[in-house]
Each structure stands twice: as structure tokens, then as C-alpha cells.
Amino acid sequence: MKVRLIVALIFSMTLTVNAQTYLNPQADIEERVQDALSRMTTHEKILILHAQSKFTSAGVPRLGIRQLNMDDGPHGVREELEWNTWSPARWTNDSIVAFPSLTCLAATWNRDMSRLYGHAVSEEFAFRGKDVMLGPGVNIQRTPMNGRAFEYMGEDPLLAGEMVVPYIQAAQQNGVACCLKHFVLNDQETDRFGVNVNVSERALREIYLAPFRRAADKAHVWSMMGSYNMYKGIHGCHNDELINGVLKKEWQWDGALISDWGGTTNTLQAATGGLDIEMGSFTDGKVKESEFGYNDYYLADKFERLINSGELPMSVLDEKAARVLRLIFRTSMNTQKAIGSQCSEAHYEACRKIGEEGIVLLKNNSLASSRMKEGLLPLTQEKLAALASSSKRAAGKELRILIVGENATRSLTQGGGSSELKTLHDVSPLEAINSLLQAQRSQLSTVNYQLSIDYAQGYTSGRALYDQVDKVDPAENERLAKEAIEKAKDADLIIYIGGLNKNHKQDCENGDRESYDLSFGQNELISQLSTHKAKLVVVTFGGNPYNMPWIDKVDALLHCWYLGSESGTALANVLTGEVNPSGKLPVTFAKRYEDYPYVKFGAEAYPGIKGVKAEPNTAGEVPNSQVYYKEDIFVGYRGFEKNKVKALFPFGYGLSYTTFKYGKPAATHNADGSWTVRVDITNSGSREGKEVVQLYVGERKVTASRPVKELKDFAKVSLKPSETKTVTLTVSADDMQTWNEQAHQWQAPKGSYRAYIAASSEDVRGTEELSF
Ligand code: BGC
């Protein structure tokens, strides 16, 4: 009897131990996944594959397996929405920090900034109880019309890939999964649900898939979001060739593929085409709701029936459920997950620092009337005093600054679509410039002029509405422009703060821009302001390049992307020289829209054409329109160089308040086949500053089939005046591979190449010869 009792006890203990494998955080994650799977019913496996609310997918309460809480992304945690609608839940504790836009992060060219960003933003997600952050995005900025470019990281796959990796690593270290957007070819918002992208295999591999691959290989991103658009007639959310073929089989990626909201259209395709979690189905964009319940989802009851009837094998369901369980164990059931924090001082500081480093100084004319060698910027007290005395107003004892433009006061964290944020506290440019300039002036006893700062809105753009352009009375814009021009007559210095914003058809989801020009009469306004005697500094916000017919008439130009909650502080610090700008462009600013490489191919190449006959796919769908990436791999600067077209401001360009001298580069071949290029960089000016050093590589004898050169590495170096540091850059043989369309595989580089050490894609400072 006693023995029996002991045996029973041991047996039950073993059972308990076994029972806990999937709950044991110390156990191997694959064992946990298999253990959990073995305990789940078919129905429970199905339940975890689709939404149970707008932003959550179910767990298995019976087994203590937790649900996944998701939220947008990527610049901060979106406000809480109601369980089953797109309406705000009206919480009072969900106001957060808005971080700078991802284009701004890319413009820092600083991997440390990316790590800081990923760490800080994921702490906010963790604090709000989120497991999956819907972002970041690495779709390629092939057109300056793309309404969502501000959520991505520029035109170059290496820059985007390198810059996204530390963000993901840092976020996932906090137990928050990144959901990398939008896999793949979601490079325009026009007809995003119905456009079929026709792209060569080579451009797909070398340009569009490349940043996703880096994130999969180097950062092991835990989830990705499928795209709405089609490729070969099949939507990105269940595109077998891309998801199963490339992502899961070829790259051996072990994460979960989550659909974009409403991006799933068919059960069989979803089941067999690689989708793991279906979200947001049957919502008409963001506005209409329907009777469609969560059981009606494509990966819900319909899928279960296919499994139960044996039409699809259990292995199809298990493969998906395993990926979702892995994601759950990595995040919602991760015992190491950070508690996080919201609106901490550290987060505001991170926001400000990233913003300051991403601001790009594009133009800075010297101040002819002063003896100073520097440009008009930074607006130091000495320079302002010089401006006051040259104006001779009140015997040189008064300086009038006029700030013009809606973006000086407008909240740029609102609008934009899914990345819209509800912030706790934002600093506007007007507020920050005003207080910083006044404070600096009052600190200096030597300054003996009165400083007055006035404001004129200059134009209005209306409200940021979803999918709708607000009506603006042209007479109102005329009145505002007139008022600004009138006030400008009395100004000594004008700081114009405009650009794009987050309105529909500006930088906003579900619609592209309609013109390369700035809207709301800004070009005319800036041109008019430039005719006054006052010095004119132009500051623009926006995720895209734009036309600048007035560029020769302005004294200085700063481009700020979107800077988040600390927008004003970051801008004011750069304007006044507290911070030396060091951002460089992650995208080419063309002189004319026609210069973008795809434009010469007409509407076929962008935004696509309707009426092309196509075979229906297995779900009976045909694309609504077709777009053909006719510029092929020659996207951005690759195309400008091939077409021998000079940019207005090239990729990689950005000025500093100091200057840098480049030494002669020296290359060494490493045992693993890679090349290292070293170059000495000296700060030859009088201010501390940071320089982004870029390594491009191209064929020694350039052939038509390859870009003149392509970015292969970059580094940001901080230097005190007269200081020299050696910068080390590397190019691996892997990064030199090209895609062979005939063999459908990567081809190792062979032959003679040239390494270009450059300050921008058009500013080469030295070369070295390489061979592979
Ligand atoms: C967007 C996604 C976003 C999702 C949820 C979609 O319309 O394309 O990027 O994460 O909505 O808001």
C-alpha cells in the first residue's frame, strides 16, 4: 500500500513537472511550443490565429496561455481604442511621448540613436501592456509622393536595414515584439488595397526585400506585417512565394506573419500562403464596421472546417499555431519582459536627442554683413547682435524676429493615419524658439538690444481628417499670407516654419501626395518673404522631399522630418547652436519631380494604371491596378547617377556648423573575404560636431547593369575642433552579391571594384581599389 502511494506520488510529480514544460520559462522555447501544442484542441489552435478585438488576438485561458496585445506603432503607442471599434476608448492615462518619425531616425545615420529609440519606445509599449508594436517600417521610398514615407527609413536598403536592426534588438530585449511593416512592396498608398506590383526578381531582392532580410537575419525580428498590395496577383498577407518561399523557407525566419488590418481576403490562400495571425478583417478601411464577427474571419471557423474535414492537414494548422505560441512565449508570457514606463524624463530626452541628430541643415549662406566666417545659422547672440546693429533700428538697439508658418504651432503628431498619437505634452517650435532666444539674450549682459518675436500663421491647411481633405477657404489663405507679408516688412530676421503635415494627401496613410510642390500657397509665400530685406531662414517638416523653386532666394534651410513631442526644443537647439546639426538625407531631394528615376516611364511606373487584363487568382480576385517598377534597381541615387542627373540635395547630404577634412582612405582585404577601409577624419572648423562618413562601392569599369556605386557601410564620428579620428568601414562579400535572374540565386561578386569614401553620394572625398 505504502509503495503504491509512493509510486503514485512520484507519478503525479512527474506529471506536474511535465505539465509545466510550456509554462516553464527556463525550458527551451521549442520544447515549450511543442508541449503547448500537444495540449491544445484543434479549436484552441484556431482561436490564437485571429483577432478577438481590434488589437488583440486570443490566448488559451484553459491552459493559462496569454493573449497578444498589439498596438500601432511605430513612433509611440497609439491611444487606446474601444474593444471592437475604431473609436477612442477615452482613457485618461494613455497619453504618451511621440518620438520622431522613422525618416528622422534614418537621417541620424547613427545606430546608437536607433538603439535608444527602440529601447525608449518599447518601454512605453511594455508599460501600456502591449506585446507587439506594429512597426517599424522599411518599405523603400521610391517616390516622394508616398503618403507613408515618413514611417519608413528612406530610399536605400542598406541604410534602412542597418538602421532598423538596433531598434528591433533593443525593443525585443524589453520583451516587446516588433512587427516589421509592410512585407513587401507597399511603396505607395494610391490603391494600396488593389495594386499589383510588377517588379523584376533582381530589384525585389536587391532593393525591396533587402532591409527585411537584414532585420530577419541580424535582429531576428519576432513578427512581420503582410502588405495589402498584390505581387503576382496575390495579396502580400498570404503570398505563398514571398512568405513561405522567401521569408520562412529561404531565410529560415521563425517569427509570426501578421496580416495588415483587413488585408486577408481568402481562407485557402491565408491557410496555405503563410499567414499566421489575421487581424482587422472586414473593416472598411478605418470607418465602417460590419456584422462580421470574429468567428467569420478567414482563419477562424472556415479554416477549422477545412482542417476537420481533412481537406487541409493538421500540419498546416500546427505550423501557424507554433509560430504564434513562440511569439506569445517571447512577449506576453516572457517573465523577463520589462515593466516599462510612460512619459519618463529619459523618454523625452531620447526624443529630443534623436530629433536633434536627425535635423538636416541643407543650406547656410554666410552672413555678409558680419565679420564672422560662419553662416547665418546658428543664431548665436553675437550674430543676432550683428543683425540688430546692421538693421540700424533704434540705433541698432532693436531686433525684430518674425516667425511665419502653420507648422510653428501645429501639432504634427496628430493625423497621418494609424501612426497618429495622443501625446501628454508637446513643445511647439514657436514656444521653444521664443523662450530659448529670450532666455539666451537675458543671460548675456553684453547684449544691449531689445528682442521682439512676432508670429504670423501665413497659411492654413485645415484639419487632419482621415481619408478626407478638409475644405479650406482660399480667401482665408490669402488673408493669412497678406498678414505675414505685411509683418515681414518690419522684420530683421524671418524664420519660416512650414512644409508638409499629416493631413490626407500630405504625409498620411491611404493616399499619396498629389504634387511635388508644397501646398497651401507656401511656395508663393516663401518667395514673397524672400523679397524683403530681412534674412530668411526656412524650416520644413515632412517625410518627403519637395520642390523648392525659392531655394536660391533664402539664406538658410533646415529640414526636420517630424520630431515628435520635443519638436520645438530640438529645432530651437539646432537653430541657436546649442546642438550642431549632423543629420544627412536618407532620400534624394530632386531639383524637379521629373528627375526621379521612375517618372520618365509614365503612369505605368507610378501610380499605376487600370484596365490591364489579368487572370483571376485562386480566390477569383483580379488586381484593381498595375504598377510597373520600370526603373528596376535604379531607385533613388542609383537612378540619378545612372541617368547623370544632379540632385538638388543628394542622398547622404547634410551640412554642419563646422567643417570636416577627409584623409586618404586605405583598404585592407580580410581573411573572410571582406574589405576594411580606414580613413582619418579631422574637424577643421571651430565647433564640436559629428560627421557621417559613407562607404559606397561600384564596379571599377561601370557597366550598364549595375549602379555606379551603392552604399555599403557608414559611420558617425564625433570630433572636437582640430581632433582627428580614424573611421573604419567594412564591406562584406555577401553585401556585394547580385541577384542572378536566370539562375534565380545570389551571385558572388567577382572582379575589380572601387570604394568611394564620401560625405554624400555626390561628394566623394577619396577612393580605393578593391577586388572580390
Ligand atoms: C495600416 C497598418 C496599421 C493597421 C492598424 C493599417 O491600415 O496599414 O500599418 O498597423 O492599419 O492600425
Side-chain angles (χ1 to χ4, degrees):
M1 184 65 193
K2 226 179 178 181
V3 175
R4 265 218 229 139
L5 206 78
I6 291 169
V7 170
L9 206 70
I10 292 174
F11 183 68
S12 78
M13 274 169 67
T14 329
L15 257 186
T16 324
V17 170
N18 281 344
Q20 286 174 346
T21 304
Y22 76 99
L23 289 175
N24 178 3
Q26 261 79 50
D28 175 71
I29 193 161
E30 297 312 316
E31 281 174 27
R32 294 179 71 191
V33 166
Q34 289 312 318
D35 182 45
L37 267 186
S38 71
R39 292 162 200 278
M40 288 163 69
T41 63
T42 302
H43 186 62
E44 284 166 341
K45 290 178 196 169
I46 293 278
L47 281 180
I48 66 171
L49 304 188
H50 59 83
Q52 59 167 0
S53 77
K54 277 281 174 281
F55 281 96
T56 68
S57 59
V60 188
R62 180 181 69 85
L63 296 173
I65 293 174
R66 298 187 61 169
Q67 66 183 42
L68 287 171
N69 297 338
M70 313 178 189
D71 213 345
D72 286 305
H75 305 136
V77 200
R78 187 176 183 169
E79 96 182 283
E80 227 44 57
L81 300 184
E82 287 178 354
W83 184 252
N84 199 26
T85 79
W86 290 105
S87 308
R90 298 182 189 285
W91 285 17
T92 51
N93 58 355
D94 60 347
S95 300
I96 44 77
V97 177
F99 292 86
S101 60
L102 290 189
T103 320
C104 177
L105 175 62
T108 69
W109 295 64
N110 185 344
R111 295 170 180 89
D112 292 340
M113 286 297 127
S114 171
R115 194 163 294 110
L116 177 67
Y117 196 134
H119 176 73
V121 76
S122 64
E123 282 192 331
E124 302 233 335
F125 273 84
F127 191 75
R128 283 269 298 281
K130 307 296 177 191
D131 308 303
V132 181
M133 164 199 320
L134 304 176
V138 285
N139 293 104
I140 293 291
Q141 199 166 357
R142 85 178 262 269
T143 162
M145 297 292 123
N146 184 356
R148 282 188 96 170
F150 70 101
E151 290 188 61
Y152 306 138
M153 302 178 95
E155 72 186 23
D156 182 80
L158 182 120
L159 178 66
E162 278 296 289
M163 287 301 292
V164 87
V165 163
Y167 179 122
I168 298 169
Q169 286 169 332
Q172 296 190 164
Q173 214 143 35
N174 279 333
V176 175
C178 287
C179 182
L180 192 66
K181 289 174 177 180
H182 301 91
F183 187 82
V184 60
L185 301 170
N186 186 174
D187 310 310
Q188 65 183 57
E189 290 299 288
T190 303
D191 200 16
R192 64 175 176 158
F193 298 103
V195 67
N196 183 49
V197 180
N198 298 272
V199 59
S200 75
E201 223 176 77
R202 181 168 174 214
L204 175 67
R205 295 289 182 150
E206 293 183 19
I207 306 288
Y208 298 97
L209 282 170
F212 288 95
R213 171 145 211 190
R214 249 185 161 73
D217 287 356
K218 282 189 154 188
H220 305 289
V221 64
W222 290 339
S223 64
M224 290 197 199
M225 185 181 288
S227 59
Y228 289 130
N229 54 275
M230 291 173 157
Y231 170 69
K232 296 194 181 168
I234 299 184
H235 288 289
C237 292
H238 29 68
N239 194 298
D240 178 55
E241 179 177 334
L242 295 174
I243 304 171
N244 286 328
V246 178
L247 186 55
K248 293 184 175 176
K249 284 205 195 83
E250 200 182 307
W251 299 355
Q252 294 284 298
W253 180 66
D254 72 359
L257 197 289
I258 302 176
S259 76
D260 199 342
W261 269 234
T264 314
T265 58
N266 178 265
T267 292
L268 199 61
Q269 280 184 16
T272 56
L275 179 65
D276 299 309
I277 303 181
E278 177 189 357
M279 298 298 295
S281 290
F282 265 62
T283 56
D284 176 10
K286 298 271 158 92
V287 279
K288 277 193 219 144
E289 301 303 326
S290 71
E291 295 305 304
F292 192 82
Y294 293 102
N295 289 343
D296 301 322
Y297 270 45
Y298 297 100
L299 282 188
D301 290 358
K302 287 179 222 140
F303 182 34
E304 193 169 350
R305 279 199 290 274
L306 289 181
I307 296 288
N308 287 338
S309 67
E311 280 166 85
L312 285 176
M314 185 59 83
S315 56
V316 171
L317 173 57
D318 281 349
E319 199 259 346
K320 294 181 194 301
R323 287 176 183 271
V324 179
L325 286 168
R326 207 174 284 132
L327 184 59
I328 291 174
F329 292 142
R330 284 168 165 166
T331 59
S332 60
M333 290 178 72
N334 178 349
T335 51
Q336 302 300 309
K337 184 171 173 179
I339 291 169
S341 55
Q342 188 167 294
C343 296
S344 68
E345 260 181 50
H347 294 176
Y348 282 109
E349 192 185 314
C351 170
R352 180 181 50 72
K353 273 172 105 170
I354 297 159
E356 287 166 353
E357 276 217 21
I359 293 174
V360 186
L361 177 63
L362 291 172
K363 180 173 181 184
N364 196 12
N365 274 359
S366 66
L367 193 57
S369 55
S370 92
R371 284 191 303 275
M372 271 163 275
K373 273 187 270 151
E374 275 187 338
L376 171 59
L377 300 180
L379 298 172
T380 57
Q381 285 307 317
E382 282 168 300
K383 258 184 251 170
L384 293 180
L387 276 178
S389 71
S390 67
S391 92
K392 308 268 186 318
R393 191 193 310 283
K397 297 246 161 30
E398 193 190 342
L399 179 70
R400 290 191 188 172
I401 297 181
L402 176 66
I403 298 181
V404 181
E406 191 185 52
N407 283 347
T409 54
R410 187 182 175 90
S411 164
L412 293 171
T413 54
Q414 274 161 29
S418 57
S419 64
E420 174 169 62
L421 295 168
K422 174 171 143 192
T423 51
L424 183 65
H425 167 68
D426 290 341
V427 185
S428 75
L430 181 62
E431 193 184 337
I433 294 169
N434 199 353
S435 61
L436 192 63
L437 287 182
Q438 295 287 9
Q440 280 186 348
R441 199 199 61 88
S442 60
Q443 275 161 18
L444 282 183
S445 52
T446 48
V447 171
N448 59 357
Y449 64 91
Q450 283 303 315
L451 177 64
S452 71
I453 300 180
D454 198 3
Y455 174 62
Q457 190 178 319
Y459 67 91
T460 176
S461 64
R463 292 164 301 165
L465 306 174
Y466 192 79
D467 244 4
Q468 211 184 318
V469 176
D470 199 12
K471 280 213 170 65
V472 175
D473 179 3
E476 175 64 358
N477 265 333
E478 262 172 47
R479 190 190 65 75
L480 289 169
K482 224 163 148 194
E483 179 197 43
I485 292 159
E486 204 46 43
K487 283 190 176 183
K489 288 183 187 154
D490 281 339
D492 303 306
L493 171 69
I494 303 168
I495 305 175
Y496 179 87
I497 305 181
L500 300 169
N501 63 28
K502 303 276 189 71
N503 284 9
H504 187 52
K505 301 275 172 83
Q506 294 276 308
D507 282 333
C508 184
E509 185 180 311
N510 209 23
D512 282 343
R513 296 169 64 199
E514 287 177 329
S515 162
Y516 189 50
D517 279 320
L518 294 179
S519 311
F520 323 115
Q522 291 186 78
N523 280 343
E524 297 71 25
L525 180 56
I526 297 170
S527 297
Q528 294 247 28
L529 294 173
S530 72
T531 60
H532 291 274
K533 65 177 188 330
K535 296 280 167 203
L536 177 57
V537 177
V538 174
V539 174
T540 51
F541 287 85
N544 272 302
Y546 59 89
N547 195 17
M548 302 178 191
W550 35 258
I551 187 64
D552 294 334
K553 302 184 205 150
V554 307
D555 297 292
L557 172 65
L558 283 166
H559 187 63
C560 297
W561 319 105
Y562 296 106
L563 299 174
S565 294
E566 287 286 335
S567 191
T569 326
L571 171 61
N573 284 346
V574 168
L575 274 173
T576 56
E578 291 282 305
V579 169
N580 191 348
S582 61
K584 294 208 177 188
L585 296 177
V587 59
T588 307
F589 276 54
K591 286 185 191 143
R592 311 170 312 151
Y593 175 64
E594 296 72 39
D595 293 345
Y596 285 98
Y598 64 85
V599 179
K600 66 176 177 196
F601 299 107
E604 281 188 347
Y606 175 81
I609 49 169
K610 292 196 176 167
V612 179
K613 253 194 141 65
E615 281 297 304
N617 69 23
T618 53
E621 302 161 314
V622 287
N624 190 46
S625 62
Q626 301 276 353
V627 64
Y628 301 84
Y629 287 12
K630 292 199 162 176
E631 77 284 17
D632 202 50
I633 55 166
F634 298 98
V635 179
Y637 68 90
R638 288 166 170 79
F640 280 77
E641 294 200 338
K642 183 183 169 65
N643 300 337
K644 300 197 171 43
V645 174
K646 290 271 174 237
L648 178 60
F649 298 114
F651 175 81
Y653 178 85
L655 299 170
S656 164
Y657 296 150
T658 188
T659 48
F660 300 98
K661 254 196 150 136
Y662 283 58
K664 198 179 151 6
T668 48
H669 204 179
N670 304 315
D672 64 358
S674 65
W675 282 86
T676 298
V677 184
R678 290 188 177 77
V679 60
D680 283 350
I681 309 291
T682 305
N683 182 342
S684 47
S686 53
R687 277 172 186 273
E688 188 167 353
K690 292 181 184 170
E691 170 69 336
V692 176
V693 184
Q694 299 154 46
L695 168 67
Y696 296 82
V697 180
E699 291 170 311
R700 204 174 297 176
K701 245 185 116 208
V702 180
T703 59
S705 66
R706 294 192 71 164
V708 175
K709 60 183 190 299
E710 296 179 277
L711 185 73
K712 295 296 170 188
D713 199 5
F714 58 90
K716 195 162 198 176
V717 59
S718 176
L719 295 163
K720 299 206 170 61
S722 305
E723 192 183 6
T724 300
K725 280 184 188 161
T726 304
V727 169
T728 305
L729 300 159
T730 309
V731 52
S732 67
D734 273 1
D735 279 340
M736 290 299 298
Q737 293 185 112
T738 47
W739 184 260
N740 182 323
E741 300 229 329
Q742 281 72 47
H744 306 291
Q745 63 185 31
W746 289 104
Q747 189 170 292
K750 228 183 165 98
S752 308
Y753 294 85
R754 180 159 293 145
Y756 301 82
I757 291 292
S760 83
S761 60
E762 286 187 13
D763 185 4
V764 173
R765 303 292 180 94
T767 59
E768 257 289 50
E769 307 301 312
L770 314 177
S771 58
F772 282 94

